[in-house]
Amino acid sequence: MSVRVDWRQAVAFTGTVIKYLAVAMLIPLAVSIVYGDDILTFLASIVITVAVGVALERLDDDPELGPREALLLVALSWGAVAIIGAIPYVIAGYGTESTLRHPINALFESTSGFTTTGATVLGEISLDRHSHAILMWRQLSQWLGGMGIIVLMVAILPEAAVNGAQLIDSEAPGPELQKLTPKIAETARLLWLFYLGFTVLLMALLVALHYAGLAPNMNVYNAIAHGFSTLPTGGFSPQSESIAAFSPAVQWVIIPFILVAGTNFALFFFLLRDEYAAVLEDREFQVYLGANAGLALILWGLLFTGSAPPLDIGGATQGALENSLRQATFQIASLLNSTGYATSDFAQWGDTAKVVLLLAMFIGGSAGSTGGGIKIVRWLVVFKGIRRQLFTTAHPSAVKPVRLGGTVIDEDVVQAIYGFTMLYILVFGLATVLLALDAGRVGLEITVLEAASASLATIGNIGPGFGFLGPFGSYLDFPSTSKLLMIFLMWFGRLEIIPVFVIFTGAFWNE
Amino acid sequence: MSVRVDWRQAVAFTGTVIKYLAVAMLIPLAVSIVYGDDILTFLASIVITVAVGVALERLDDDPELGPREALLLVALSWGAVAIIGAIPYVIAGYGTESTLRHPINALFESTSGFTTTGATVLGEISLDRHSHAILMWRQLSQWLGGMGIIVLMVAILPEAAVNGAQLIDSEAPGPELQKLTPKIAETARLLWLFYLGFTVLLMALLVALHYAGLAPNMNVYNAIAHGFSTLPTGGFSPQSESIAAFSPAVQWVIIPFILVAGTNFALFFFLLRDEYAAVLEDREFQVYLGANAGLALILWGLLFTGSAPPLDIGGATQGALENSLRQATFQIASLLNSTGYATSDFAQWGDTAKVVLLLAMFIGGSAGSTGGGIKIVRWLVVFKGIRRQLFTTAHPSAVKPVRLGGTVIDEDVVQAIYGFTMLYILVFGLATVLLALDAGRVGLEITVLEAASASLATIGNIGPGFGFLGPFGSYLDFPSTSKLLMIFLMWFGRLEIIPVFVIFTGAFWNE
Ligand SMILES: [K+]
Ligand SMILES: [K+]
């Protein structure tokens, strides 16, 4: 292990990541050509991206990363990609009324994309105001972000032993990360294949629905766009009304894909090998499905009985049973695993329903998924840790390990998970206070719920909140300082906080 | 250590505690006589109390408590005392319009008293509707609850090694609790003397202010009443407008006593021995004062500049500087350490100010004080644990203990504190959801902020919340099921959760 952090290695590797981003920009370039939009935006962006990538890459010939360099790479690459990814927004917005012509707005939107958050500062989401290519770039940024998350989860966090991420891949070889081992690279490649496969399948189904006459608005463009933002639990949409713009058939079809996006992708290995028992016995998967079902049932009850003002969803409305069940199932699935799609403006629902949605927003996806938030496996370890504490309070001399699915969890891992969860909650709380104070400073009227949901929806990479930042609203009205804070929150949250926090400590840079 | 829990021992000891309660009831009996109110209420209550106490005491001749019996005693005695303490409310309310004639309301008020919470379900707090004796009994119940907390903190929790309470008294002999050792009994007695001394001093000062003409409403009755509810961080008042009913002079005089109530009482030993350095170097004390000063400054800024609608507090109002400084200092001190007194209806303040108040409410008092909530020493350990985690993420092979004021904190204690803090936050969140659902069930309109603040104000033993349960409002409108839940929350919160939770586990009752 090197004595000092070799930042040149990390920066050079970041350069490579940026070079690949230029390749991805060929897709919106193609969209520009197809729709006859201006092609200069993405041509210019590609030139800049390649230039920056190549320049950075030259800093080190053959980067081999140690654990600290890997952490630095993670933090740097998400930051750099978000900055580079904002360039097309600024170029396209130049000389127009687009809110993204302002660099901070562009960076917010780009960070929100690559961190799969889905919070937007686009004033008006419409193909009349923005080109097909720009709106597709937003969608694609989420899909690329999701791909990055898979590498992060499989290859980097477990190797660097961050936040008890060892749990995710118990076969990880050790604390040293010299280079991607063939086995880890293989795992990542397989998970990518699942990710790609589900994406293509969803796009195909949506197109099929369209040509079957069941989804009038779901043309090929929209099918590709929403395919890009579903599997990464992204939540962006080129429609200002999100998934509410589409037919019930589309909404029902998207629900299982949202659920898949929050599932541990490793479980699909077992499915491929017909080992269904292994899937059904997975503790985290059980809790994931159970939480989705339980909360959806409660919300269904609230919507259908009208206990929460239902806005023509429940009660005596025609089709109320199907409508309220669909809305409840969709919205819980979407918020629980941090997707953030909406089939209704839930910011207008009653406060009892909002509390249920907030509860869902605190849960998060499964380990090994693209879902954000605290994540179910961590909640499981926290619950088991507390149960153990109750036991040892009654029996002080007893020694009892924390177990998950039969395996003993190392005490260091238990403590790391407690630490992560507390830090997440603390950052959420502190950011709520800062957002409220900053709003007070500029005279922006903000409620406690709006401030808290802005904080939660950005650090949890969820996207929409309540009030003016609801699913049909935007983050545009926040002052720039708040937007910068939320850019940090999205970055912290997506990278599991610790890898970002740690690079701001002196201890990281010293021997 | 006994193999099974000897519940008879714990119940017998509870009987003794109840017997002492009958002695305390002589005070409201005396008040009845002085004011010519009906004396039957407290005479009858005393008879019942003695009868119950003696009957329970007979279950065991010479109770000697082991650790589990001590935990059971703690949970039982607070529960039993709250039930017995509700008897006078029911008797006095019989045949009247008093809301306390309903047993659940009476139990709520009594639990709120003995847990030093200060949340009320009295519809109209007024000496026209309630006797002097009954309103004094509310105040006294808080003072008695505070006395109980001191024993709990000094003698029971550290001995039973609950929640890392060992931190509070590092000289605690060991995990066995056979009987109060002379040393522990001595410590408890000294802390009681401080408690009594500060109480008497406050009463004397308030009376002096009255006779000096600086506090027209602060007659002897009010001076005694508020003396009873300040040192235990109680927050009840026989005035419907809490401390806003009194002059600025009274408010300024009460502030330092609120601050004292949230300070580790052990620090006063050092003051007595002129060891000022030991007090000033106490990490928790520094953070306690710092948090009070910092948040008060922020709130002062908000109130004075009118960023938070200030209701004739700040801005161009005459005396605005003094007024806003007083309100800010008082309200932060009162909510940070869980007292709950109010000098203004802060539920009407702007949301930015509310967020600052909410932050204060999450902090809690110092260890070794009567303050509730998570408590500062635990936050310190959590912060240091997270800092250590950042360090070991950068340096995986490093071994670094968590230190507090130079002393190494045992890893078990660190984990116990993480566990407590997480459990506190989880119970708070879950109770918020339940309160919102229960309100939805009966059609009570409740906002997310009202539900969350009801949960926080009861589990944190703070008292008032926001909205209809603000400092000038009451908890009366909640359905009975919600009131029962909040009775449990006050009980959990005051007894540091774990001792109550643990008696509901099977492991507690088995060998
Ligand atoms: K999202
Ligand atoms: K209180």
Side-chain angles (χ1 to χ4, degrees):
Chain A
M1 197 189 305
S2 64
V3 179
R4 287 191 154 269
V5 177
D6 191 346
W7 62 269
R8 286 172 164 268
Q9 288 180 351
V11 173
F13 218 115
T14 303
T16 311
V17 173
I18 289 173
K19 254 176 42 188
Y20 281 109
L21 195 61
V23 179
M25 285 179 181
L26 295 174
I27 293 177
L29 183 66
V31 174
S32 312
I33 294 165
V34 169
Y35 286 91
D37 294 335
D38 103 282
I39 59 163
L40 269 178
T41 298
F42 281 95
L43 271 184
S45 299
I46 287 169
V47 171
I48 298 172
T49 305
V50 171
V52 173
V54 170
L56 294 181
E57 235 183 2
R58 296 202 162 201
L59 280 171
D60 200 296
D61 281 344
D62 180 24
E64 290 200 3
L65 302 173
R68 280 189 286 173
E69 285 76 14
L71 293 179
L72 186 59
L73 164 67
V74 166
L76 276 185
S77 59
W78 251 272
V81 164
I83 291 170
I84 300 285
I87 292 173
Y89 298 136
V90 176
I91 297 180
Y94 184 78
T96 74
E97 288 295 297
S98 165
T99 56
L100 298 190
R101 71 187 184 281
H102 298 295
I104 288 182
N105 286 341
L107 183 61
F108 185 100
E109 199 78 6
S110 179
T111 305
S112 176
F114 285 102
T115 58
T116 79
T117 303
T120 185
V121 288
L122 269 182
E124 193 186 325
I125 303 177
S126 147
L127 286 164
D128 298 336
R129 295 194 70 109
H130 305 280
S131 71
H132 282 80
I134 278 292
L135 291 185
M136 189 59 88
W137 176 236
R138 275 172 93 228
Q139 304 299 116
L140 181 61
S141 69
Q142 299 212 306
W143 198 75
L144 297 172
M147 267 184 67
I149 289 307
I150 292 173
V151 192
L152 182 69
M153 286 180 322
V154 174
I156 303 190
L157 295 186
E159 300 303 293
V162 171
N163 294 332
Q166 303 94 309
L167 277 180
I168 294 163
D169 182 356
S170 55
E171 297 167 312
E176 302 278 317
L177 179 85
Q178 291 305 335
K179 53 172 65 178
L180 282 185
T181 63
K183 189 172 159 213
I184 292 175
E186 175 69 8
T187 307
R189 199 170 300 124
L190 260 165
L191 294 188
W192 275 343
L193 279 179
F194 285 122
Y195 184 70
L196 180 66
F198 281 115
T199 300
V200 172
L201 179 62
L202 175 58
M203 290 176 177
L205 281 175
L206 292 177
V207 170
L209 279 182
H210 180 62
Y211 286 108
L214 290 167
N217 299 330
M218 188 50 84
N219 53 24
V220 173
Y221 179 86
N222 273 325
I224 294 175
H226 291 90
F228 277 151
S229 54
T230 304
L231 267 297
T233 66
F236 267 156
S237 168
Q239 301 293 326
S240 62
E241 299 207 323
S242 187
I243 309 301
F246 302 103
S247 64
V250 168
Q251 299 176 8
W252 279 117
V253 164
I254 288 178
I255 290 174
F257 286 88
I258 292 180
L259 288 172
V260 161
T263 302
N264 188 343
F265 279 27
L267 292 183
F268 299 119
F269 281 122
F270 295 112
L271 281 190
L272 279 188
R273 289 190 285 175
D274 288 333
E275 295 176 16
Y276 303 106
V279 176
L280 294 175
E281 281 165 15
D282 184 77
R283 204 87 194 79
E284 186 180 29
F285 186 59
Q286 294 167 349
V287 173
Y288 176 62
L289 289 189
N292 265 292
L295 291 179
L297 266 177
I298 293 173
L299 185 59
W300 185 25
L302 290 174
L303 294 177
F304 187 66
T305 60
S307 298
L311 304 177
D312 69 18
I313 290 174
T317 326
Q318 220 196 343
L321 202 71
E322 184 272 342
N323 195 352
S324 53
L325 179 63
R326 174 166 38 83
Q327 305 266 6
T329 314
F330 190 100
Q331 217 51 78
I332 290 294
S334 165
L335 292 181
L336 188 141
N337 78 10
S338 84
T339 298
Y341 278 153
T343 50
S344 165
D345 186 3
F346 58 76
Q348 305 290 325
W349 290 359
D351 273 37
T352 305
K354 280 183 200 153
V355 167
V356 177
L357 296 178
L358 274 170
L359 176 60
M361 290 162 88
F362 268 103
I363 295 176
S366 307
S369 79
T370 59
I374 289 174
K375 297 214 176 108
I376 290 163
V377 70
R378 293 208 185 87
W379 284 121
L380 277 171
V381 172
V382 166
F383 277 115
K384 279 159 185 270
I386 290 172
R387 218 168 64 180
R388 193 255 307 264
Q389 191 169 341
L390 289 174
F391 184 85
T392 51
T393 302
H395 302 279
S397 48
V399 175
K400 201 184 169 184
V402 173
R403 282 166 198 278
L404 192 68
T407 347
V408 171
I409 310 287
D410 197 84
E411 291 302 320
D412 286 351
V413 173
V414 174
Q415 231 192 59
I417 286 174
Y418 269 133
F420 171 85
T421 312
M422 281 306 309
L423 186 58
Y424 186 97
I425 293 171
L426 286 173
V427 174
F428 154 70
L430 188 66
T432 301
V433 175
L434 291 177
L435 291 173
L437 287 176
D438 198 36
R441 183 181 65 81
V442 298
L444 170 69
E445 268 197 45
I446 194 168
T447 65
V448 177
L449 182 62
E450 283 166 342
S453 67
S455 172
L456 181 60
T458 48
I459 195 175
N461 303 115
I462 298 164
F466 297 104
F468 69 83
L469 48 140
F472 296 0
S474 92
Y475 285 69
L476 188 58
D477 289 342
F478 278 102
S480 295
T481 35
S482 290
K483 284 177 189 157
L484 283 172
L485 172 62
M486 289 187 283
I487 286 169
F488 275 97
L489 289 175
M490 295 189 265
W491 190 41
F492 289 166
R494 188 67 277 187
L495 305 183
E496 314 259 291
I497 306 181
I498 300 271
V500 184
F501 260 55
V502 78
I503 64 169
F504 292 108
T505 63
F508 180 80
W509 297 96
N510 302 331
E511 334 179 0
Chain B
M1 199 189 305
S2 64
V3 178
R4 283 189 157 272
V5 177
D6 190 347
W7 61 269
R8 287 169 163 268
Q9 289 179 350
V11 173
F13 217 116
T14 303
T16 311
V17 173
I18 289 172
K19 255 178 40 187
Y20 280 109
L21 195 61
V23 179
M25 285 179 179
L26 295 173
I27 292 177
L29 183 67
V31 173
S32 312
I33 295 166
V34 168
Y35 285 90
D37 295 336
D38 104 280
I39 60 164
L40 271 178
T41 297
F42 281 96
L43 271 184
S45 300
I46 288 169
V47 170
I48 299 172
T49 306
V50 170
V52 173
V54 170
L56 294 181
E57 237 184 358
R58 294 199 165 203
L59 281 171
D60 200 298
D61 280 345
D62 179 25
E64 289 200 2
L65 302 173
R68 280 189 286 173
E69 287 76 15
L71 292 179
L72 186 58
L73 164 66
V74 166
L76 276 186
S77 59
W78 251 272
V81 163
I83 292 169
I84 299 285
I87 292 173
Y89 297 135
V90 176
I91 297 180
Y94 183 77
T96 74
E97 288 295 299
S98 166
T99 55
L100 299 191
R101 70 186 184 281
H102 299 295
I104 288 182
N105 285 341
L107 183 61
F108 185 99
E109 199 78 7
S110 179
T111 305
S112 176
F114 285 102
T115 58
T116 79
T117 303
T120 185
V121 289
L122 269 181
E124 193 187 323
I125 302 177
S126 146
L127 286 164
D128 297 338
R129 296 194 69 109
H130 306 278
S131 70
H132 283 79
I134 279 293
L135 291 185
M136 189 59 89
W137 177 236
R138 277 172 91 228
Q139 304 299 117
L140 181 60
S141 68
Q142 299 213 303
W143 199 73
L144 297 171
M147 266 183 67
I149 290 306
I150 292 173
V151 192
L152 181 70
M153 285 179 323
V154 174
I156 304 188
L157 296 186
E159 300 303 294
V162 171
N163 293 334
Q166 303 94 308
L167 277 181
I168 295 163
D169 183 356
S170 56
E171 297 166 315
E176 302 279 316
L177 179 85
Q178 291 306 331
K179 53 173 65 177
L180 283 184
T181 63
K183 188 172 159 213
I184 291 174
E186 174 69 8
T187 307
R189 199 170 301 123
L190 260 165
L191 294 188
W192 275 345
L193 279 178
F194 286 122
Y195 184 69
L196 180 66
F198 280 116
T199 300
V200 172
L201 180 62
L202 174 59
M203 290 175 178
L205 281 175
L206 293 176
V207 169
L209 278 181
H210 181 62
Y211 286 108
L214 290 167
N217 300 331
M218 187 50 83
N219 53 24
V220 174
Y221 179 86
N222 272 325
I224 294 175
H226 292 90
F228 277 152
S229 53
T230 304
L231 267 298
T233 65
F236 267 157
S237 169
Q239 302 293 327
S240 62
E241 298 206 323
S242 188
I243 308 301
F246 302 103
S247 64
V250 168
Q251 299 177 6
W252 279 118
V253 164
I254 288 177
I255 290 174
F257 287 88
I258 292 180
L259 288 172
V260 162
T263 303
N264 187 343
F265 279 26
L267 293 183
F268 299 118
F269 281 122
F270 295 114
L271 280 191
L272 279 188
R273 291 190 284 176
D274 288 335
E275 294 176 14
Y276 303 107
V279 176
L280 295 175
E281 281 164 14
D282 184 76
R283 204 85 195 79
E284 186 180 30
F285 186 60
Q286 294 168 348
V287 173
Y288 176 62
L289 289 188
N292 265 291
L295 291 179
L297 266 175
I298 293 172
L299 185 59
W300 185 25
L302 291 174
L303 294 178
F304 186 68
T305 59
S307 299
L311 305 177
D312 71 18
I313 290 174
T317 326
Q318 218 195 345
L321 201 71
E322 183 273 342
N323 194 353
S324 54
L325 179 63
R326 174 164 39 82
Q327 306 266 8
T329 314
F330 190 101
Q331 218 51 76
I332 291 295
S334 166
L335 293 181
L336 188 142
N337 78 10
S338 84
T339 298
Y341 279 153
T343 50
S344 166
D345 186 2
F346 58 75
Q348 305 291 325
W349 290 358
D351 272 38
T352 305
K354 280 185 199 151
V355 167
V356 176
L357 295 179
L358 274 169
L359 176 61
M361 290 162 89
F362 268 104
I363 296 177
S366 308
S369 79
T370 60
I374 289 174
K375 297 216 177 105
I376 290 162
V377 72
R378 293 209 185 87
W379 284 122
L380 277 170
V381 173
V382 167
F383 277 114
K384 278 157 186 273
I386 289 172
R387 216 168 63 180
R388 192 253 309 262
Q389 191 169 338
L390 289 174
F391 184 85
T392 51
T393 301
H395 302 280
S397 48
V399 175
K400 200 184 171 186
V402 173
R403 282 165 198 279
L404 192 69
T407 348
V408 170
I409 310 286
D410 197 85
E411 291 302 320
D412 286 350
V413 173
V414 174
Q415 230 190 59
I417 286 175
Y418 269 134
F420 170 86
T421 312
M422 280 308 307
L423 185 58
Y424 186 97
I425 293 170
L426 286 172
V427 173
F428 154 71
L430 188 66
T432 300
V433 175
L434 292 176
L435 291 173
L437 288 175
D438 198 35
R441 183 182 64 82
V442 298
L444 169 69
E445 271 198 40
I446 195 168
T447 65
V448 176
L449 182 62
E450 282 166 342
S453 68
S455 173
L456 180 60
T458 49
I459 197 177
N461 302 115
I462 298 164
F466 296 104
F468 68 84
L469 49 138
F472 296 2
S474 94
Y475 285 69
L476 188 58
D477 289 342
F478 278 102
S480 294
T481 34
S482 289
K483 284 177 190 157
L484 282 172
L485 172 62
M486 289 187 282
I487 286 169
F488 275 97
L489 289 175
M490 294 189 266
W491 189 40
F492 289 166
R494 186 68 276 186
L495 304 182
E496 314 257 292
I497 305 182
I498 301 272
V500 184
F501 260 57
V502 78
I503 64 169
F504 291 108
T505 61
F508 181 79
W509 298 96
N510 302 330
E511 330 179 4

